[in-house]
Amino acid sequence: MQTKADTPAALSQPTLVPAARPAADWWRDAVIYQVYPRSFADGNGDGMGDLAGLRARLPYVAGLGVDAIWINPWYPSPMADAGYDVSDYRDVEPMFGTLAEAESLIVEAHERGLRVLLDIVPNHTSSEHPWFKAALAVGPGSRARRRFIFRPGRGDGSEPPNDWPSVFGGSAWTRVSEPDGAPGEWYLHLFDVGQPDLNWEDREVRAEFESILRFWFDRGVDGFRIDVANSLFKHPELPDLAGRNQGSYADPGSEEHPFWDRDVVHDVYREWRAVADEYPDPRVFVAEAWVHSPERLARYVRPGQLHSAFNFDFLLTPWRAPLLRAGIDEVLAALRAVGSEPTWVLSNHDTVRHLTRLGRPQPERFDRGAPQAVAHGEPDLELGTRRARAAAMLMLALPGGAYVYQGEELGLWEVEDLPDELLQDPTWERSGHAHRGRDGCRVPLPWSGDRPPFGFGPPGAREPWLPQPAAWAKHTVEAQTGRPDSMLELYRAALRIRREHPALGSGRLEWREAPAGALAIERSHGLLCIVNVDADPIPLPPGATVLLASGPLPDGLVPADTAVWLRA
Ligand code: NOJ
């Protein structure tokens, strides 16, 4: 095994690694597999996923037929927010492995035809980052404090500078003790106390992130997912929200907001695009930006800025045909107006897994995150599975790119009965135990065997960091492989057909007539996708060949909660 001692040489002399399969615009219709490293596979047996586990399982990922992987933050971190609190942007968390292993992983992924996207976290560092430690050590008015957002408190200094809430609950401000031990200034953290917000008005902050991008691009990384890409700039006067918009993460509101989606952020992404374009093989960005409308999202992917931005519409849209169709149309119109393509997402590490979401009685719209898990009754997992199969085929038939969150291809559901004492998401504590947080979608993957830990680690390994449901015995990779009706084989087949028929990627989409409660989408070359959401069974068009169906088609009819791909 490589050790920490292997890394300094790599640090000073990066290997210039070519990216996989050069192809201009590859991201436009790429399918990208999201790897949540602590829950993917445990190579060293400590109960936590790691790079050794991921390297060993790369053949599995490549075999799915995806184009790339996006790896959630793997940097050194005190883990106040599962790695989104970074203390060193140019290294790897020892719990996950070493920088040398990361470099090997990039090479091996490329050899298997997989591009590699990392996660960059520019809004905040960890409170253990050397910059923040220096800011605390040297005191008010210093150069070191200007890299963050420090302010005196209100009144006698004991009240926070304004009324902004943290996304995870409580105030977005924490008071520090000054070097002499006296209670002092406050610093802003839109997320956890351990995630101080950086000051993006500061040139040094901007230069540092450009340097970090180059550090990883020089190591062959093909791109970055940008964490909370819409939050970097704050209104210079830090005005109160005064109740006019509580700053909900999902719905920042249409009026100019003091910390979400401020226009000046686009200057940064023009600079980042220029850095990416310095590289011979296209390096790309995908923005995580919860913004108010598709038009606001489109601003991030205008020419000269980012390549793509997650479209989170499916995370908030219930299983209702008119809403699904309206969402698809709005996003396509807004993004195509700026020459971009959508990037579809059904699940990720922040939201209730879609199998559970779709298995509940469907509301008008879902709230983001945990509240939806309790708000709408017990899920019917069989129903959720049928809908999740159909939803995957809908997503993969749409123009643009798509992200597959690890485990959705196994039909995993949200684990909603994790013991309280094991919950790690800061939301649980910061909300005063009102919201259980996001751990339920982060449970380690089941690979093989008929009882937990399902081959997550090597024989004799420690228990996984979160317990897996015993019922996942039927959902392991081993149990599903070769079983034609399994979720895994459905994903494999859909991804294979998508590769064989590039018309399923970028390009034209026409809506065809369909009964109320159903969707019929025609792509070029006579490829048709019918999704029966909740209509009566629909006859297949005469003479059409079925390429793939998400479920049985009794008497040649497409029943409710079923999708089918056809060739005319
Ligand atoms: C979005 C990430 O996806 C989420 O997991 C994290 O908690 C916040 N950004 C803060 O970094």
Side-chain angles (χ1 to χ4, degrees):
M1 201 180 118
Q2 276 142 337
T3 64
K4 224 34 202 168
D6 296 331
T7 58
L11 266 173
S12 53
Q13 288 188 317
T15 340
L16 281 166
V17 188
R21 287 193 304 137
D25 290 7
W26 66 272
W27 68 89
R28 283 184 165 268
D29 57 4
V31 180
I32 300 180
Y33 186 83
Q34 178 186 351
V35 175
Y36 195 66
R38 55 169 51 216
S39 301
F40 185 71
D42 171 15
N44 68 0
D46 65 356
M48 185 64 73
D50 50 33
L51 298 193
L54 173 53
R55 285 172 70 190
R57 301 285 187 181
L58 280 177
Y60 166 77
V61 182
L64 290 172
V66 297
D67 302 288
I69 53 178
W70 150 40
I71 306 170
N72 288 93
W74 64 14
Y75 316 104
S77 165
M79 301 287 163
D81 181 21
Y84 281 97
D85 46 320
V86 179
S87 53
D88 180 354
Y89 290 82
R90 295 182 182 81
D91 204 348
V92 168
E93 162 61 37
M95 188 169 83
F96 292 148
T98 63
L99 181 60
E101 281 181 282
E103 291 179 330
S104 302
L105 186 152
I106 296 163
V107 172
E108 290 158 6
H110 287 167
E111 284 168 358
R112 294 190 177 273
L114 294 169
R115 294 176 184 268
V116 179
L117 271 56
L118 301 186
D119 206 319
I120 193 154
V121 189
N123 179 67
H124 41 264
T125 64
S126 159
S127 50
E128 292 298 311
H129 189 284
W131 275 7
F132 193 72
K133 290 208 250 182
L136 291 188
V138 293
S142 60
R143 172 82 202 83
R145 286 228 170 156
R146 279 204 301 280
R147 297 181 187 128
F148 295 90
I149 303 180
F150 279 87
R151 290 289 185 282
R154 281 182 176 170
D156 64 357
S158 65
E159 295 294 317
N162 69 24
D163 67 355
W164 296 0
S166 147
V167 169
F168 296 149
S171 170
W173 294 92
T174 290
R175 194 172 194 186
V176 301
S177 295
E178 298 303 352
D180 63 4
E185 290 190 319
W186 297 69
Y187 70 92
L188 179 72
H189 53 86
L190 289 182
F191 295 89
D192 189 64
V193 194
Q195 295 169 296
D197 279 51
L198 284 161
N199 171 18
W200 275 83
E201 307 286 354
D202 188 283
R203 279 309 318 178
E204 203 187 342
V205 169
R206 288 164 90 136
E208 171 68 355
F209 273 85
E210 288 188 16
S211 153
I212 295 164
L213 295 178
R214 288 196 177 89
F215 177 87
W216 291 105
F217 285 155
D218 288 347
R219 282 165 176 74
V221 162
D222 301 281
F224 285 94
R225 175 257 192 198
I226 306 171
D227 188 59
V228 270
N230 55 323
S231 64
L232 310 193
F233 286 87
K234 282 80 191 179
H235 190 296
E237 285 154 28
L238 307 179
D240 273 344
L241 284 172
R244 81 191 147 97
N245 173 347
Q246 277 310 306
S248 146
Y249 194 22
D251 183 14
S254 50
E255 79 266 48
E256 196 203 351
H257 194 278
F259 51 86
W260 295 133
D261 196 24
R262 296 183 62 77
D263 288 342
V264 54
V265 78
H266 298 287
D267 294 345
V268 170
Y269 298 135
R270 284 185 200 97
E271 291 167 8
W272 284 22
R273 178 60 180 255
V275 174
D277 286 351
E278 285 168 14
Y279 289 79
D281 206 29
R283 310 296 160 110
V284 306
F285 297 107
V286 55
E288 186 222 20
W290 286 87
V291 292
H292 184 62
S293 64
E295 288 71 30
R296 293 299 298 185
L297 191 68
R299 295 169 65 80
Y300 289 78
V301 291
R302 284 174 291 178
Q305 290 196 47
L306 305 177
H307 306 75
S308 58
F310 293 123
N311 154 43
F312 290 134
D313 212 61
F314 283 154
L315 302 180
L316 303 174
T317 307
W319 191 240
R320 296 180 193 281
L323 297 180
L324 290 165
R325 176 172 172 166
I328 293 166
D329 276 342
E330 280 171 27
V331 167
L332 272 174
L335 295 187
R336 293 215 160 145
V338 296
S340 187
E341 288 278 351
T343 303
W344 307 100
V345 181
L346 286 168
S347 276
N348 64 27
H349 65 291
D350 288 332
T351 46
V352 170
R353 280 191 178 273
H354 63 272
L355 190 148
T356 296
R357 217 165 58 220
L358 298 174
R360 294 192 194 287
Q362 297 295 285
E364 281 310 309
R365 201 153 177 84
F366 284 111
D367 298 329
R368 180 173 178 274
Q372 80 207 39
V374 288
H376 305 292
E378 279 298 303
D380 172 342
L381 295 181
E382 272 179 33
L383 176 67
T385 301
R386 283 200 299 281
R387 290 180 175 166
R389 294 172 66 90
M393 285 184 58
L394 169 63
M395 172 172 85
L396 293 173
L398 293 174
Y403 279 73
V404 172
Y405 174 46
Q406 66 176 42
E408 75 176 64
E409 82 283 13
L410 301 177
L412 301 189
W413 55 87
E414 185 82 5
V415 183
E416 298 186 295
D417 57 356
L418 290 169
D420 292 359
E421 65 279 10
L422 295 183
L423 296 180
Q424 307 219 357
D425 184 346
T427 310
W428 173 238
E429 290 303 332
R430 289 193 63 84
S431 71
H433 297 185
H435 300 305
R436 296 180 65 76
R438 302 158 291 177
D439 293 310
C441 64
R442 301 174 174 178
V443 173
L445 292 192
W447 290 93
S448 58
D450 54 12
R451 65 177 68 94
F454 298 121
F456 178 65
R462 283 180 57 185
E463 283 184 13
W465 69 282
L466 285 174
Q468 302 148 307
W472 281 4
K474 292 201 180 99
H475 294 268
T476 63
V477 171
E478 183 183 59
Q480 296 193 50
T481 295
R483 229 184 63 207
D485 62 347
S486 69
M487 186 73 89
L488 178 56
E489 293 301 350
L490 179 78
Y491 269 79
R492 285 179 174 150
L495 291 166
R496 190 184 60 244
I497 294 169
R498 196 176 145 111
R499 285 201 160 193
E500 286 164 6
H501 298 280
L504 284 169
S506 307
R508 202 170 59 82
L509 170 150
E510 309 261 358
W511 293 102
R512 292 287 165 232
E513 213 180 301
L519 304 170
I521 292 166
E522 189 177 338
R523 308 298 317 275
S524 359
H525 304 297
L527 291 168
L528 194 66
C529 170
I530 297 176
V531 186
N532 186 343
V533 178
D534 56 9
D536 290 336
I538 304 169
L540 292 170
T545 311
V546 175
L547 296 175
L548 189 64
S550 72
L553 306 174
D555 307 321
L557 300 172
V558 185
D561 303 314
T562 304
V564 59
W565 288 357
L566 306 161
R567 193 159 40 186

